[in-house]
Amino acid sequence: MTTKPATAQQTTPRPLGCLPQSVDVPQVKAAIRLLTHDGQPLAAFDERDQCISAGAYLDPHRETGEVVLELLAEHRPTTAREELDAERVRVTGEYADLFRVAGWTVQEFREGDHTGRERLTRLILTPPAPTAHERMTAALAEHGITAHRDEDAGNSWLVIPLTGDDFPGVGTPHMVAYVYEAHEDWMFVDAHMEHWAGGWRIRFNNGAAEVVIHRSEVDADPATGTAVAAKLIADIRAAWNG
């Protein structure tokens, strides 16, 4: 009789850049994507939540949608504290530039060092509001629906097939979703709804003619208005497909 050799106990990989309880927080995920895309190192932690590798660390403020970003520097006994402080200021400043360029709101937090001098130590970041396109695409995805962006003459909209996921061909029944701004006589999905006095409109096209079947209130909360419109689209698709 042979005995199966003992194998080393495997540990679950831990997330980089945040603690496990923060990994699914939207603003943390968005910040990590941006840092990773820019090639910035992310802090790593052991099972006791002790930092074992230097890099960016993100701690969310769930109630406000903000996230705090700071550099956890590698402890180097041979490096002077002044040099470590200067590195933290430099890298944190680079973080600030990166997030500002990406449209985030950046607040700089400063505190005194061992000499009493104030230094930049961390950032409080607020993600940019999603565009109408991003809002509706995410809302429809929750219903398993794919939308396709289209545009013409400065206007943009989303085309939603009644069957399947492909962009509907000419004469194929479909729906069209966009935000209508009456003051500008403009339909869009590429801008932020918060910046314009517009609401969602949904058109139903049977392949030959098109009619508006839904109008959101202009002052409706963007998240609520989008969710209602997406639910209507999902219900119509479900009824169409019987």
Side-chain angles (χ1 to χ4, degrees):
M1 178 178 178
T2 59
T3 302
K4 184 178 180 180
T7 57
Q9 183 177 1
Q10 295 183 352
T11 58
T12 303
R14 292 170 63 81
L16 294 174
C18 65
L19 298 181
Q21 60 266 31
S22 302
V23 70
D24 289 324
V25 178
Q27 61 266 34
V28 170
K29 294 170 68 175
I32 287 178
R33 282 196 298 270
L34 186 56
L35 289 163
T36 302
H37 183 266
D38 194 60
Q40 297 290 343
L42 303 174
F45 300 87
D46 62 17
E47 290 75 12
R48 297 172 298 170
D49 293 338
Q50 299 296 313
C51 181
I52 55 177
S53 180
Y57 168 63
L58 296 144
D59 183 27
H61 290 171
R62 288 174 171 80
E63 297 79 9
T64 62
E66 300 169 331
V67 60
V68 178
L69 170 62
E70 64 178 305
L71 171 67
L72 297 186
E74 182 180 356
H75 178 65
R76 300 190 294 270
T78 58
T79 304
R81 182 168 181 174
E82 184 70 19
E83 185 177 336
L84 292 174
D85 287 344
E87 179 183 10
R88 179 176 287 105
V89 170
R90 177 183 61 78
V91 175
T92 304
E94 292 175 355
Y95 291 157
D97 292 341
L98 172 65
F99 280 88
R100 285 194 180 101
V101 169
W104 291 56
T105 300
V106 179
Q107 301 178 57
E108 297 184 353
F109 184 84
R110 300 172 184 273
E111 58 186 16
D113 62 12
H114 64 288
T115 68
R117 178 183 176 185
E118 281 200 345
R119 292 181 180 271
L120 175 63
T121 57
R122 61 182 64 89
L123 306 173
I124 301 175
L125 307 170
T126 305
T131 63
H133 181 183
E134 291 167 335
R135 285 189 183 279
M136 183 57 78
T137 299
L140 290 174
E142 293 183 3
H143 298 283
I145 299 172
T146 299
H148 303 272
R149 181 188 171 282
D150 201 2
E151 64 177 335
D152 182 54
N155 297 297
S156 58
W157 56 88
L158 295 173
V159 180
I160 302 101
L162 286 174
T163 59
D165 294 330
D166 295 333
F167 194 103
V170 177
T172 303
H174 61 274
M175 285 176 281
V176 177
Y178 56 90
V179 178
Y180 181 67
E181 218 291 349
H183 297 299
E184 301 291 335
D185 190 22
W186 175 43
M187 63 174 69
F188 70 84
V189 292
D190 292 335
H192 303 287
M193 297 178 68
E194 291 84 351
H195 298 171
W196 301 94
W200 282 106
R201 288 193 182 182
I202 309 298
R203 291 182 178 179
F204 182 88
N205 188 312
N206 65 5
E210 193 168 88
V211 61
V212 175
I213 59 172
H214 175 75
R215 290 181 173 88
S216 295
E217 295 294 332
V218 171
D219 59 353
D221 170 69
T224 302
T226 303
V228 170
K231 178 65 164 55
L232 173 68
I233 292 171
D235 290 345
I236 291 175
R237 268 185 52 117
W240 183 272
N241 291 287

